[in-house]
Amino acid sequence: MTDINTTLPGQERYVAPLEETPLQTVDTVDESAPATSMWSDAWRTLRRNPLFIISAILIVFIIFVALFPGVFTKTDPNYCTLDDSLEPARPGHPFGFDMQGCDVYARVVYGTRTSLSVGILSTLIVVAVGTLIGAIAGFCGGWIDAVLSRIVDIFMAIPMLLGAIVVLQMFRTVTSIWKVVLVLALFGWVSTARIARGAVLSSKNLEFNTASTALGSTPMRNLFRHILPNSLAPIIVIATTSLGSYIVSEATLSFLGIGLPSTTVSWGGDISNAQSILRTDPMVLFYPSVALAVTVLAFIMMGDAVKDALDPKSRTA
Amino acid sequence: MSEQTNIDDKLDQLQRAEGPLLEVKDLQVDFTTDDGRAVHAVRDSSFSVYPGQWVAIVGESGSGKSTSAMACLGLLPGTGKVVGGSIKLNGTEISHYAQKEFVNVRGSKMGLVPQDPMSNLNPVWRIGTQVKEALVANNMDVSHEKRSDLAKALANADIEIKSEGDETFLGSKELPELLEAAEQALVGIGVEGDAFTRKMEYFRSEWVPGSETRWRVADDLIKAGVKDDDAWYIAKKYVTGSSMEDRIAGLLVEAGLPDAATRARQYPHEFSGGMRQRALIAIGLACRPELLIADEPTSALDVTVQKKILDHLQDLTDSLGTAVLFITHDLGLAAERAQHIVVMYKGQVVESGPSLEVLQHPQHPYTKRLVAAAPSLASQRIVSVEEHGQDASSIMEHKVNEQSLETADTIIEVSHLTREFKLPRTKDMFKAVDDVSFKVKRGTTLAIVGESGSGKSTVANMVLKLLEPTSGTVTYNGSDIAQFKGKSLLDFRRHVQPVFQNPYGSLDPMYSIFRSIEEPLRIHKIGDKKSRAARVRELLDLVELPESVMRRYPNELSGGQRQRIAIARAMALNPDVIVCDEAVSALDVLVQDQVLHLLNDLQAKNGLSYLFITHDLAVVRQIADDVVVMQHGKLVEHGTTDEVFLHPQQQYTRDLLDAIPGGKLELGLNLD
Amino acid sequence: MGKYLLRRILQMIPVVLGTTLLVYALVFALPGDPVKAMFGDKPVNEAVAAQIRAEYNLDKPFIVQYFLFLKNALTLNFGETFAGQPVIAEIGRAFPVTIKLALMAFCFEAIFGCVFGVISGLKKGKWYDSVILIVSLLLISVPTFVTGFVGQYFLGVKWRILPVTAGANPGFFDLLMPAMVLGSVSMAYIIRLARSEVSSNIALDYVRTARAKGMSNTSVTFRHILRNSMIPVVTYLGQDLGALMGGAMITEQIFNIHGIGFLTYQSILKGEANMVVSVVTLLTLVFVVCNLLVDMLYAALDPRIRYA
C-alpha cells in the first residue's frame, strides 16, 4: 500500500483553493434562460438558417404571385394571336411570345397558380390519408398493421409516374386539375404512411406513454395527446419536401400531354409546347423552366431547413 | 509477504527512476459553440501517471474527466481543442501533435478502453478482424510477446529470462505435439494417476496459443517436476511462434473471453455487453501500450460482470506492467482500484492524492460531498458502524423501526407471480418472472434487486397493472388487481403510481412541466383550473423546485430535475404506493443522493409505501426496509435489509454484495 | 441467410400479385371505358368495340379477367397490338435499349454520386462541399425534361459535343447524354445521402475506437467510415435501378430513344391499353426483383440483418 512517505513526485496531496473552485448547490435550475419548448427551439434554429430565410422569402413571393397574378401582369395569358408568334420581348411583354403568339411572361405568372394548387392540394390529401393509415397501422399493430403494410408495399412497387400515366390516360377528357391532384395523391400517400407508421411506432414505445397509462390514461387518449403530437416532426418534413416533388410530377405529366388539359395554363404544358422550337428559340422554353425550378428549389430547401431544425438526431435532448 | 514488499519496493524504485509516464500540466481544453463562444471544458488541470500505476479521475458527468483523457489521445470530439498547458508522454510533449503524429503513439504507447461496449465496435466487421486491425496498424510482431521494461524488471524477480526467443508465443499448430511431449515428459519422471491427469488438465487450460510464451511453458514444466534442461528443450522445440489468428485468439482469451477462436469469427451483435467489453479490452491492450486509458469501462454493465471484468483487467495490466488512467464517476470504485485519485469538478481538479487518504480525509468541500453521497461508501459505512457496535441510525438516510415493520398491514401482496413471453419465431416460452411472492407493508420500502434480465421490471409492470401476469396474483389492499376495471381501475391508478428509470423518456417533450404535472389531475378530473394550478405549485414546492419551472419544457432540465418532476407528477394524486423502477440509476451520485433524500422525506411525511426496483445493492442499503433479490426471473433471497446485508444466505446475494465497489475499503468513521 | 432469402421471396409473392392486380384494376376497372379510350376522339364503332371486349375478356367478371390476364402473362402471352404485332415482340425489341440506357445512367449516378458525396461528407464546411451541395440541390429541383433540354441545347446544339437525339439504334455516345440526364436527379440524391451518412459516421464511437488503435486516417476512413456509409447508399442504388427503367420514359421521349418508355408513351397516345398494362406489369416486376436483390445485398453488407 502506498503511504504518504512514498508518494511519487508530482503526485503529492493537492487540494484546490476554494476560491478558485467555488462549490455550487447540487442540481440548480438555471432560471435566467427563457423557457423554450421543442417547437420554439426548432423555430430558433430555423431562423438562423440562411437556407430557410431564402426559401421562405421565395415561397411567400410564389404564393403571392399565385394568389394575385393580376398584380404582376395585365395581359391575359390565353390571349394569343399568331401575329405575335415568336416575337421577341418588347415593352409590356418582357419575355416575348411563344409559337401561338401568347405572352410568355403572362403565362409564367398565371402558371404559378396551377403548379402551386396542384402541389398544395396533393400534399394536403397525402398528409391526411398517409398519416391516418400510417398511424392506424403503427398504433394498432397486429394483423391490421400487417395488412396495411402489405398494401403500402404494393403501392410502393408501382413507380409513381407509370401509375399516374396509366390512370390518367383513362381520363383524357376530364379537364379539372383535381384529376392530377387525386392521381398524385393515389400514388404518393404510401411514403407518408410509411413515415407516419414509423414515427407512431417509435413514440408509442416511449416511456411517457406507459407513464400516462399508469396515471389512468386510456390508449385513445394517449394516441391523441401524446403519440400523434410527438410524431408530427417527420411528417412535416416529408410533407414539405414532397410538395416540391408533386409540382415536378404535375409538370412532367403535363409535359407528356396527359396531365392538365392544354386549356389550363401550366409550366409543364408550356415547356412541352416549346420543345419543338428549342433550336431556334430556347428562351421560350427557358422562362417557364426557370419558374418551375425556382419554385421546386424553394420547397426542397424549406424541407431541408425544417429537417435540420426538427431532426431528433441533430437535437440534443 | 516479503516477496510482495520486495516487488512493491522495486516498482517504487523503478517509478522514481523513470519518472512519470504521462504528465499533464495546467491543461486547458475549450469547445466552441455554434455562435462562436468558447466553453472551457477543462481548466488548469494537472495530474500524472507513473509506469505500472492505476490512477483514477473521478467526477460527475460534465466534470471534464473524459475530455482530459481524450485530449491525451488527441481524440477530442467536435470542436474540442487543447488551448493551453502541456501533455507529456515519456517526457515528450504531445499536446501540439498533428493527427499524423498521434497515429504513431496511439495503440502502441497509449491504448483506449471506451465506455459504451454497444457502440464502440463496428457492427459490420468480425471481432477478430477488429483486433487484427490494431495489430496490423502498429506492425506488431504476432509471434513474440512485447513486454514493457517494467514488466520485465518485475518478472525478473520471479524467473530468469534467458534470451529474446523466450518470449516466443505458442502456436496452435504445435499445441498437440507440445502436449504429447509434455505427457511423455511427465511419464518419464514417473507422474501417474490423479496427479498426472491434474497436471495435464492444468497444461491444457494454461497453454493458450497466441498468449502463452516459451519461458512460461518451460516454467510450467519445471514446476511440474520436469528437469530444467528437458523442460527448456521441449519448450524450445515446440514453442516456435504463433500465427495472426492464434495471437488474436490469445488476446481475446487474455481478456477473459472463452472459446476465443470461434468467438473471433463472430460479429459484435452476437456478443453480450460484457463480452464486447472484453473484446474492447483485448483491442486496447493488443499492442502492449504502456498506458491504457479506461473511460468508464464498465459503467454500462451489470455489477457482477463489472467486478469480474475489472478484476481481470487489473490482473492483466499488473502482469504486463501497463499503467492505467481510469475514468469513473464512482469514488468507491476509484479508491478500490487506483493508487492515486484525481477528483474533477466543473473542469478543474479540486483534489488529488493517494486514494485512501483522499477517501478517509477529504479536504475539498466537493470531495467531502462526494464521499458523503456515494452509496457504495454509505452502505459500507453503515456496516462498519454496526460492526463497531454503535447505533447506525444516525448516519442512515432512512430507517423504519423494526416494530412498525412487523405490525404494519400489507398494502401490496404479490403471490406466485409468473409471466411468460413468447420468444420470437419459435414456439418456446420464456419465463421472465417465475413464481415470485412478497409483501409490501404500509409505510415501508421493499427493494427488488437484480441484474438485467432478472425480471425485476416485469414484476414492477405487473404490480402497476401495465402487464397481465400469466399466473399468480397481485393484491392491493386485499383486492386482486386483475379484477379492476373502469372506475375501480381508475381508482387503483390513483393510488399506485410509477416513477420510471429514464428521466429523458418519462416526460412528454411536447408538454410543459405544468401540463405534465397537471396531467393526472386532468385525467381524474380533479378540481378546476385554478385549484389545479395551485396544486401544481404545491407539488413543485414539495420536490424543492422553483415555481418558474412550470413554464419550462423537459429538455431544459437536468436528469435529476426531470426525475423530481416525475415524482411530483406521481405525488399529484396523493398515492399510497409509488413504484420506482430504477428511478435513480441514471443519475450522478450527488443528484441521486438528493432524490433519495426526497423520497425518504416524502415517505416520512406522507406514509408512502415504495416498491423500489434497482440493480444497485448499495442504494438499497440507504432506502429499503425489506429486500428481494431476483435472478433469472426467480426470487433468490428475501429478508430485511440488515439480514440480507449482514447475513446473506445465497451465493448470488454474496456475489452481488461483493460487487459493490469499495466494499472492502477501510473507511475512516469520522467523516466531517 | 438462406432462411432470410426464402422469407423475402415469400413476402414478395403477395406484393407481385397485389401490384399486378392493382395495375390491371386501374386500367380496366376504373370508371372510364378502356375501349372507348382506344378510339380516342374518333366515333365508337360498337361492333369493333364488342369484338375488342371479347378479345380482352372484358365481357367477363373483373376477377376472371384478371386471372386470365395473369395466366397469359405467366406464359409471356400479352396479346397483340392493334397492328397485329405480338406485344411481347415489341417489348423484346425495346427492352435492351432501355436496359442499356438505365445501366449507363446507373453507373454515372453511382460513380459520381458516391465520389462527390463522400468528398463532401468528409470535408463538411469546405468551399467545395458548399458547391457540391448547391449543385445537387439544383439538380433535384430541376425536372428531368428541363435538364434534358438544357443538355440538348448546350452540349448538342451550341457546342456540338454530343448528338442531340439518339434515334432507333443508339450506340454508346448516342446514349451518353440521355444517361447523364436520366441519372442526374438520383445522383443528386446519392450525393446528399452519402454526405449525410459519412458526416454522421465520422463522429461515431467505433470510429474513435479505430483511431485509438493507432490506425492511419486513410484506413479508418475506408474500413470504418466509408464501409458503413455505403450500406444505405447501396440500398438506394438498388432500388433506383428499377425506378430508372420506369423513369426512362421522359428521357427516351426527349432524346427519341426507342426503348420501353418510348413504347409505353406511344401506346398511351394510341390508346393501346393492352400494351400499357403489359409494360407496367413488367416494369413493376423488375422493380420488385431489384428490391429483392437489394435485400440480399443488404444482408451481405450488414451482418446484423443476415442473422435476424
Side-chain angles (χ1 to χ4, degrees), chain B residues 190-242:
Chain B
V191 182
E192 17 177 64
D194 262 4
F196 176 80
T197 333
R198 252 199 337 271
K199 282 196 169 119
M200 283 311 292
E201 206 52 50
Y202 176 77
F203 290 161
R204 277 199 194 91
S205 67
E206 280 296 296
W207 293 349
V208 178
S211 167
E212 197 72 348
T213 50
R214 185 181 289 168
W215 70 265
R216 284 206 223 179
V217 169
D219 192 37
D220 283 344
L221 286 168
I222 293 166
K223 279 186 182 145
V226 181
K227 263 192 250 134
D228 275 25
D229 285 351
D230 293 347
W232 278 104
Y233 173 78
I234 294 174
K236 269 190 187 140
K237 185 167 177 199
Y238 296 108
V239 182
T240 54
S242 57

Side-chain angles (χ1 to χ4, degrees), chain C residues 283-294:
Chain C
L283 286 177
T284 306
L285 276 178
V286 170
F287 191 77
V288 173
V289 170
C290 279
N291 278 349
L292 183 72
L293 288 176
V294 167

Side-chain angles (χ1 to χ4, degrees), chain C residues 45-292:
Chain C
N45 180 332
E46 273 310 320
V48 179
Q51 193 197 335
I52 295 173
R53 284 198 180 95
E55 188 183 335
Y56 293 120
N57 304 312
L58 293 184
D59 44 357
K60 302 200 176 71
F62 171 72
I63 201 74
V64 178
Q65 293 173 33
Y66 169 68
F67 278 110
L68 285 171
F69 164 77
L70 206 66
K71 199 188 100 198
N72 288 335
L74 282 175
T75 54
L76 289 181
N77 171 15
F78 290 105
E80 291 177 353
T81 61
F82 291 160
Q85 291 274 342
V87 166
I88 191 69
E90 294 264 341
I91 293 177
R93 257 196 301 284
F95 213 52
V97 181
T98 300
I99 288 183
K100 205 165 159 188
L101 176 67
L103 282 179
M104 281 174 69
F106 181 78
C107 293
F108 169 76
E109 68 178 50
I111 294 169
F112 287 94
C114 290
V115 168
F116 288 128
V118 166
I119 291 176
S120 209
L122 287 174
K123 304 283 174 190
K124 213 172 171 179
K126 289 265 165 53
W127 66 268
Y128 42 87
D129 169 43
S130 313
V131 171
I132 291 172
L133 255 192
I134 291 170
V135 170
S136 63
L137 254 181
L138 278 175
L139 284 178
I140 287 173
S141 313
V142 181
T144 318
F145 56 93
V146 175
T147 327
F149 290 137
V150 171
Q152 271 183 327
Y153 183 71
F154 286 103
L155 297 176
V157 179
K158 253 194 147 168
W159 302 329
R160 298 177 182 284
I161 304 171
L162 290 167
V164 181
T165 53
N169 216 342
F172 178 78
F173 275 100
D174 299 319
L175 288 179
L176 198 56
M177 184 157 58
M180 275 159 46
V181 169
L182 178 58
S184 62
V185 176
S186 298
M187 179 188 75
Y189 276 114
I190 290 167
I191 288 178
R192 284 156 60 98
L193 182 63
R195 177 179 184 270
S196 76
E197 279 297 316
V198 167
S199 63
S200 65
N201 277 5
I202 282 183
L204 286 185
D205 280 352
Y206 58 76
V207 173
R208 189 190 64 181
T209 306
R211 289 194 199 284
K213 288 177 197 170
M215 290 170 76
S216 68
N217 191 35
T218 322
S219 39
V220 171
T221 306
F222 278 95
R223 295 182 58 88
H224 291 281
I225 301 173
L226 296 191
R227 171 66 172 74
N228 291 59
S229 307
M230 280 308 116
I231 296 172
V233 174
V234 167
T235 312
Y236 180 87
L237 273 172
Q239 283 168 347
D240 200 49
L241 186 61
L244 278 178
M245 305 221 182
M249 186 174 300
I250 311 290
T251 319
E252 291 182 359
Q253 182 62 22
I254 297 169
F255 292 96
N256 192 28
I257 302 165
H258 295 201
I260 283 287
F262 189 80
L263 184 68
T264 319
Y265 187 60
Q266 297 303 323
S267 317
I268 289 169
L269 290 187
K270 282 188 247 159
E272 298 217 28
N274 196 24
M275 177 70 101
V276 175
V277 175
S278 310
V279 173
V280 173
T281 309
L282 204 71
L283 286 177
T284 306
L285 276 178
V286 170
F287 191 77
V288 173
V289 170
C290 279
N291 278 349
L292 183 72

Side-chain angles (χ1 to χ4, degrees), chain B residues 447-450 456 580 582 584-585 612-617 619-620:
Chain B
I448 305 182
V449 188
K456 57 188 191 303
C580 302
E582 298 270 19
V584 296
S585 311
F612 197 88
I613 318 288
T614 182
H615 67 278
D616 190 353
L617 252 183
V619 171
V620 169

Side-chain angles (χ1 to χ4, degrees), chain A residues 154 156-158 162 165-167 170-172 187 252 256 271 275 278-279 282 285 289 292-293 296-297 300 304, chain C residues 18-19 22 26-27 31 137 140-141 143 145-146 149 152-153 164 192 249-250 265 268 276 280 283-284 287:
Chain A
I154 288 168
M156 274 290 201
I158 302 175
L162 280 179
I165 288 170
V166 169
V167 178
M170 299 286 120
F171 298 99
R172 288 268 182 79
F187 292 98
T252 309
L256 287 174
I271 294 170
Q275 65 173 313
L278 172 71
R279 284 157 201 258
L285 194 143
S289 303
L292 179 57
V296 178
L297 185 67
I300 290 190
D304 273 10
Chain C
T19 314
L22 182 66
L26 285 176
V27 176
L137 254 181
I140 287 173
S141 313
F145 56 93
V146 175
F149 290 137
Q152 271 183 327
Y153 183 71
V164 181
R192 284 156 60 98
M249 186 174 300
I250 311 290
Y265 187 60
I268 289 169
V276 175
V280 173
L283 286 177
T284 306
F287 191 77

